[in-house]
Amino acid sequence: MDLKTRGVPPTDHERAAIDAVLGPQPERNLHDVSGGHQLRDRRHLLLPALHAVNDRVGWISQAAIDYIAERLDASPAEIYGVASFYALFSLTERPTHQIHVCIDLACRSNGGLVEADLPNGAHPSPCLGLCERAPAAYVTTAGETTLQVVAGHVTPVDIARWAGGDTPDPEPEPAAAVRQAGDESLVLLRRAGRIDPLDLDAYLADRGFAALERARQLGPQATIAAISGSGLTGRGGAGFPTGRKWDAVRTQPATPHYLVANADESEPGTFKDRVLIETDPFGLIESMCIAGHATGCEIGYVYLRGEYPRPLATLQQALDTCRRRGLLGGDTGFEITIVKGAGAYICGEETAIFNSIEGYRGEPRNKPPFPFQVGLFGQPTVVNNVETLMNVPSIILDGVQANRRLFCLSGAVVKPGIYEAQLGLTLGELIELAGGLRAGSVLQAVLLGGAAGGFAGPGDLDLVLDLESTRAAGLALGSGVVMVHDQHVDLVDQLKRIAAFFRDESCGQCVPCRVGTVRQEEAIDRLASSSDRSVDLALLSDIGQAMKDASICGLGQTAHSAIETAIVRLGVFS
Amino acid sequence: MSQPANQFGDVPGTSPNSVALSIDGSEVTVPDGTTILEACGGKGCDIPTLCYGDTITPKNACRVCMVEVEGSRVLVPSCSRQVEADMVVHTRSERVDHARKMVLELLGSSVDLSLTEHVDDWYAEYGADPSRYGPDAATVAQPVKVDNDLYIRDYAKCILCYQCVDACGEQWQHSFVIDIAGRGFDARVSTENDVSLPDSACVYCGNCIQVCPTGALMFKSEYDMRQTGTWEPERQTTTDTICAFCGVGCNLTLHVQDNTIIKVSSPSDSPITHGNLCIKGRFGFQHAQNRPDSAG
Ligand SMILES: Cc1cc2nc3c(=O)[nH]c(=O)nc-3n(C[C@H](O)[C@H](O)[C@H](O)COP(=O)(O)O)c2cc1C
Ligand code: SF4
Ligand code: SF4
Ligand code: SF4
Ligand code: FES
């Protein structure tokens, strides 16, 4: 490749930010012709480098792109293609202080602002994973030390104040999202609020790293047999048996193997992985060590969504502590790296996540080959959701059945938050666990499983919450979203937002989803404002079928499901 | 159903590396590694294709070639999915036809397909009606980019088949001048920050034009003639020759109208070029027609 850049040097700030990731620029040595491959091998540093500039300067200029291009021997067009994929990066100059206001499902139905109401200087954001504190916002200030904070229970007055340069107050304690904190029967959330999340000694005293030791005694095969025996299935949405996935990677002859903990958590209404990381970071680290041991991985990645500043800080600190105490890195044979997303729901898809980590556009890959065959950097790879992994230690230590799940309760309940419950309880019982409906509320609908899930109605309170029963009812547990809508919620507005979400978040690679999500949104807008509905309802169903059948990945395949359930089960638009 | 196994030098049913499967009720045996589309006769068979070109590994992004494979929850792209033993494939089912019709409608209602081959036939075959999305349906309409004398980019015609990106980058040219930028319906083929081609690293090999199936990338000579209404395909002839500029010996196809070269392509099955040329072979034809009566 013949690099052509504009010869405009980066500013000192841009250069410093990029060099902090890529190291100082080596002296040019005309005799050294082996640079190309060595430079290109560092392509995975592209996403961190883009973050560095965006965090330092607030946006990414052409000169910064050209400088990164030179440093990585990648073309400026490719880098522009990657940078323009992510919502958190700006490619045009903007103020350093930015306010991202959540206009998504839980927030807009709980007193939040909608797109049209946002004041100057604030811009709309998809779900920020703070739904228990809806309405929410995320405020960033670029600079030498960048400031990134989230806030809940946001008022228009707050937003106006922050738009003027103020920053939000500190967040409540992480365990505040866990209303069951301290309950003896908890397994997944058992440490929340009971021990200091960053106190390694407290963790060790609470049987910390005992499961890893046990797994090492058992060896990979017996460890995986225990996982299979527990019945653990994926909590990221698809529900695949974890033991089978692990064994498929373990037995792949190609090496190295990689582990990816999926903490992209961007499904609207989902915030469980955030709470797990904030309340029990060592638990995730130990779980990853066990997964790595069982599947033959020496490197694990945590792909953490970009809008999660506190989970990032918590996990970074916990990783440092583990390294210092000899529990990670060095001669332990296992290391964990955090990769920060940059505002793209699609990067939670199990193959898009690879492209994103590798420094390419976060477009899903074709399957087959499957991740266990050809995954991250072309190697056999296990991808697991954070909650899935957090099930592992108690299975190894106590042989428990993996029949507990986390549910993300938001909306018109008295105590929104994360709830741990045994699979098999009913929707009504779960809502009662969260304190029942707010005073004066009448149940209108419950969104189960997020925007990619479906709506249950007031008649579904007896629905048993497990994989089989929800599937039989044409619904899904998905990522555990239980968003409760009372009579005040405008369901048509919710459907418009769901359609807009998928339109915004489609990667654009395949026609059924790229154009289908646009046509779906147009049809919903027409349905919302007209009384002659038969034509558009038929159109919508045609579009939905094609997206489901012919899209490349789960995003397009599920982009119509919640809308379909609202029309068919709840009779919206009839 | 055609039986293309012999074109791979393989005797059906006997090679240890052959795969037997059922396609629309017929038993077919093809070599391992064959795609379903190849097993059905390849490009030009009854299965429509858009993002599948002659010389580029398909991105399977258009999803018009979908077929039904029994046991698969979703339809599969025949251009990319390799055959497996005992696969049962249906190339025309209700679901397949619906998906093809919808892909054609979704593209036809958002992109100018007027220069894309076969589209009208497929509209008829699958009953596609792009007009049913109404006059307000969003499109990718935008002004034509005319920023150099050699070729133009009319992205209102672009179906995002990724072929130009792959031809310019990894699969052939290794110039990486263009890539997909943006996301979703805003995704587009672009140089960095949309700089003009003269400001980009473009070397004007025209290999992107060669693979573009929609006329979005076009010789400036063709574009100008179309603008002035003098582009008349029925009066055009082609002549195959060898490029005289250097010793590589690239195959050229000269497209001629009124005794004037109007564009140059290269046969995609040429073992030397695979359809690719450099700026001299692609655009350096003026010297061949410097006639006393012409100004330049
Ligand atoms: C558009 C899309 C977004 C996804 N986002 C996430 C996510 O944020 N976190 C997650 O764990 N899984 C997500 N998934 C599911 C993953 O593809 C994958 O199934 C999962 O991470 C596997 O882990 P598990 O088996 O432990 O559930 C997403 C899937 C799709 C199609
Ligand atoms: S279904 Fe949507 S998100 Fe998935 S690959 Fe296709 S365009 Fe991208
Ligand atoms: S003409 Fe050649 S170098 Fe220029 S964009 Fe097309 S393929 Fe790339
Ligand atoms: S310009 Fe042509 S080759 Fe390039 S993506 Fe668009 S349609 Fe395909
Ligand atoms: S934080 Fe606003 S909807 Fe989840």
Side-chain angles (χ1 to χ4, degrees), chain A residues 219-259:
Chain A
Q221 266 166 288
T223 300
I224 292 177
I227 298 298
S228 294
S230 76
L232 180 61
T233 55
R235 308 303 200 220
F240 192 83
T242 307
R244 251 169 67 198
K245 191 184 276 191
W246 286 19
D247 210 43
V249 172
R250 183 187 69 82
T251 52
Q252 286 291 307
T255 54
H257 298 177
Y258 291 108
L259 168 69

Side-chain angles (χ1 to χ4, degrees), chain A residues 234-236 245 262 264-265 345 348-350 383-385 388 554:
Chain A
R235 308 303 200 220
K245 191 184 276 191
N262 192 342
D264 194 41
E265 190 153 81
Y345 167 64
E349 196 276 342
E350 60 180 0
V383 186
N384 272 132
N385 172 254
T388 313

Side-chain angles (χ1 to χ4, degrees), chain A residues 6 62 75 84 366 522 550, chain B residues 60 63 95 138 176 182 192-193:
Chain A
R6 273 128 291 267
Q62 182 63 60
S75 91
S84 61
N366 216 356
E522 291 170 348
Chain B
N60 70 76
R63 318 300 279 182
R95 275 172 86 197
F176 300 92
E192 60 273 22
N193 272 309

Side-chain angles (χ1 to χ4, degrees), chain A residues 20-351:
Chain A
V21 174
L22 302 181
Q25 188 167 29
E27 290 288 317
R28 272 185 195 279
N29 178 354
L30 291 178
H31 298 290
D32 179 11
V33 289
S34 67
H37 275 292
Q38 280 167 17
L39 297 182
R40 265 167 266 151
D41 285 347
R42 307 201 313 156
R43 177 70 184 247
H44 62 282
L45 294 175
L46 175 54
L47 187 53
L50 291 170
H51 267 300
V53 182
N54 199 63
D55 285 353
R56 176 77 169 251
V57 190
W59 69 291
I60 301 167
S61 71
Q62 182 63 60
I65 288 179
D66 283 351
Y67 181 60
I68 298 174
E70 284 169 21
R71 298 296 318 276
L72 295 179
D73 197 25
S75 91
E78 279 189 280
I79 294 176
Y80 179 75
V82 172
S84 61
F85 191 82
Y86 295 100
L88 291 182
F89 296 149
S90 176
L91 292 159
T92 50
E93 193 166 3
R94 62 176 178 179
T96 50
H97 191 63
Q98 293 289 319
I99 299 135
H100 310 256
V101 180
C102 179
I103 45 88
D104 223 325
L105 302 173
C107 289
R108 70 192 297 120
S109 60
N110 285 277
L113 296 180
V114 296
E115 297 82 333
D117 301 337
L118 294 179
N120 259 349
H123 45 89
S125 166
C127 176
L128 288 167
L130 298 164
C131 319
E132 90 279 15
R133 280 179 258 161
Y138 167 54
V139 179
T140 58
T141 311
E144 205 147 341
T145 50
T146 117
L147 193 81
Q148 304 185 348
V149 247
V150 299
H153 305 302
V154 168
T155 65
V157 177
D158 292 330
I159 294 172
R161 201 157 45 83
W162 299 333
D166 276 8
T167 45
D169 298 331
E171 292 186 65
E173 285 303 301
V178 182
R179 308 294 188 122
Q180 300 161 301
D183 181 335
E184 293 288 319
S185 68
L186 293 179
V187 176
L188 299 165
L189 292 172
R190 110 187 124 87
R191 296 199 181 91
R194 270 189 40 239
I195 68 171
D196 175 351
L198 285 168
D199 182 347
L200 180 60
D201 291 312
Y203 181 78
L204 291 170
D206 189 40
R207 301 205 296 167
F209 285 98
L212 175 60
E213 201 177 309
R214 177 95 185 98
R216 289 206 175 115
Q217 290 160 1
L218 287 172
Q221 266 166 288
T223 300
I224 292 177
I227 298 298
S228 294
S230 76
L232 180 61
T233 55
R235 308 303 200 220
F240 192 83
T242 307
R244 251 169 67 198
K245 191 184 276 191
W246 286 19
D247 210 43
V249 172
R250 183 187 69 82
T251 52
Q252 286 291 307
T255 54
H257 298 177
Y258 291 108
L259 168 69
V260 178
N262 192 342
D264 194 41
E265 190 153 81
S266 309
E267 181 66 49
T270 315
F271 49 99
K272 65 197 175 69
D273 299 336
R274 182 201 93 221
V275 175
L276 284 171
I277 295 172
E278 287 181 341
T279 59
D280 193 7
F282 294 117
L284 176 62
I285 295 170
E286 180 177 4
S287 302
M288 290 180 68
C289 291
I290 297 170
H293 170 70
T295 58
C297 304
E298 288 172 10
I299 298 182
Y301 290 86
V302 179
Y303 190 91
L304 185 69
R305 76 171 292 189
E307 300 89 338
Y308 270 4
R310 189 163 69 180
L312 176 66
T314 308
L315 194 57
Q316 264 168 347
Q317 211 177 321
L319 288 171
D320 285 344
T321 306
C322 286
R323 283 188 201 110
R324 233 181 12 250
R325 301 275 293 267
L327 293 163
L328 195 69
D331 51 15
T332 64
F334 191 67
E335 182 53 280
I336 295 176
T337 303
I338 303 176
V339 176
K340 211 169 84 160
Y345 167 64
I346 189 57
C347 289
E349 196 276 342
E350 60 180 0
T351 58

Side-chain angles (χ1 to χ4, degrees), chain B residues 175-193:
Chain B
S175 283
F176 300 92
V177 173
I178 43 177
D179 203 340
I180 309 290
R183 193 167 78 191
F185 197 68
D186 297 329
R188 68 234 172 240
V189 179
S190 181
T191 58
E192 60 273 22
N193 272 309

Side-chain angles (χ1 to χ4, degrees), chain A residues 346 364 505-510 513-514 551-553 555-557:
Chain A
I346 189 57
E505 299 296 335
S506 164
C507 83
Q509 188 176 202
C510 67
C513 171
R514 179 177 76 238
S551 295
I552 292 179
C553 85
L555 188 148
Q557 288 161 13

Side-chain angles (χ1 to χ4, degrees), chain A residues 540-574:
Chain A
L540 207 47
S541 138
D542 279 355
I543 297 166
Q545 186 66 39
M547 289 197 289
K548 191 188 292 177
D549 279 344
S551 295
I552 292 179
C553 85
L555 188 148
Q557 288 161 13
T558 58
H560 183 58
S561 64
I563 290 166
E564 182 179 15
T565 55
I567 293 172
V568 175
R569 297 174 66 95
L570 304 184
V572 178
F573 297 133
S574 63

